Amino acid sequence: MNNVLITGATGFVGSHMVDYILKHTEDKIYATKRWMEDTSNVEHIDDERFEFIDCDLLDGLSIKRAVEISKPDKVFHFAAQSFPEVSFKTPVITLQTNTIGTTHLFESIKESDYNPVIVSVSTSEVYGMPKEDEIPIKETNPIRAANPYSISKVGHDLMSQYYYNAYGMKII
């Protein structure tokens, strides 16, 4: 049995990952949750292997606490301000959540006693509008972030690469 830390477990993709893990493994899931967060996507879960940890990506100490409680073997990092249209109204919050929040997570793991495999989820939005000869989109396509959301996810991706290269963290 592994310990799995999932950020963004209450979101669309994260909640489906929770369901999948509970159905196909014996793993224990620790899911981060902000105060007053909508949990309707996971309300159907009645499994002792699923536990919330109160946490906010923008609060480095609460992320550190979540890492210490979960003792993760695996981390799925889904948490984000994930709506491009919202990013136009709240660009600072979008950048803070997606880039700084990711950095808080990686710093907390780097400074812990744990060395989990980390799946750091991005978006095709970082590639903008690909040219016809660039389809299907590959990771070698040029970055053409075109809104605050996609710019924040470029920062997320670059921090993922940085921690992988600089510290040997197992980030996918």
Side-chain angles (χ1 to χ4, degrees):
M1 178 171 82
N2 290 305
N3 286 344
V4 179
L5 176 62
I6 301 179
T7 70
T10 61
F12 178 76
V13 178
S15 65
H16 286 286
M17 180 58 79
V18 169
D19 290 336
Y20 181 87
I21 291 169
L22 290 175
K23 182 176 181 180
H24 296 285
T25 77
E26 296 299 318
D27 294 349
K28 167 80 175 179
I29 298 172
Y30 295 89
T32 63
K33 179 180 76 67
R34 289 174 302 155
W35 182 72
M36 298 294 290
E37 185 167 338
D38 178 8
T39 59
S40 58
N41 285 339
V42 292
E43 285 178 355
H44 65 280
I45 297 171
D46 182 22
D47 192 309
E48 63 187 25
R49 295 176 298 142
F50 178 76
E51 180 180 325
F52 278 123
I53 300 173
D54 290 322
C55 180
D56 187 327
L57 282 179
L58 296 180
D59 178 357
L61 290 177
S62 75
I63 291 286
K64 183 176 183 173
R65 178 179 167 272
V67 169
E68 291 304 320
I69 290 170
S70 65
K71 300 172 179 44
D73 299 296
K74 301 174 188 171
V75 175
F76 292 94
H77 179 39
F78 296 111
Q81 188 303 96
S82 58
F83 300 102
E85 60 278 0
V86 170
S87 76
F88 291 106
K89 295 177 182 170
T90 61
V92 173
I93 291 170
T94 301
L95 286 163
Q96 288 174 329
T97 301
N98 297 352
T99 305
I100 303 303
T102 296
T103 306
H104 281 311
L105 175 64
F106 294 158
E107 273 296 299
S108 293
I109 293 168
K110 177 180 73 89
E111 293 174 1
S112 77
D113 293 331
Y114 312 104
N115 187 23
V117 172
I118 304 165
V119 177
S120 186
V121 178
S122 187
T123 177
S124 63
E125 288 274 331
V126 300
Y127 301 109
M129 293 298 295
K131 297 177 183 172
E132 192 171 312
D133 65 340
E134 296 173 336
I135 298 174
I137 296 172
K138 298 180 179 84
E139 290 179 349
T140 55
N141 279 31
I143 301 296
R144 294 190 192 99
N147 56 58
Y149 168 69
S150 58
I151 292 166
S152 74
K153 292 305 275 186
V154 169
H156 163 133
D157 291 352
L158 292 173
M159 292 311 290
S160 297
Q161 290 174 17
Y162 169 71
Y163 279 85
Y164 170 84
N165 290 319
Y167 303 106
M169 292 172 67
K170 298 181 284 192
I171 301 173
I172 300 166

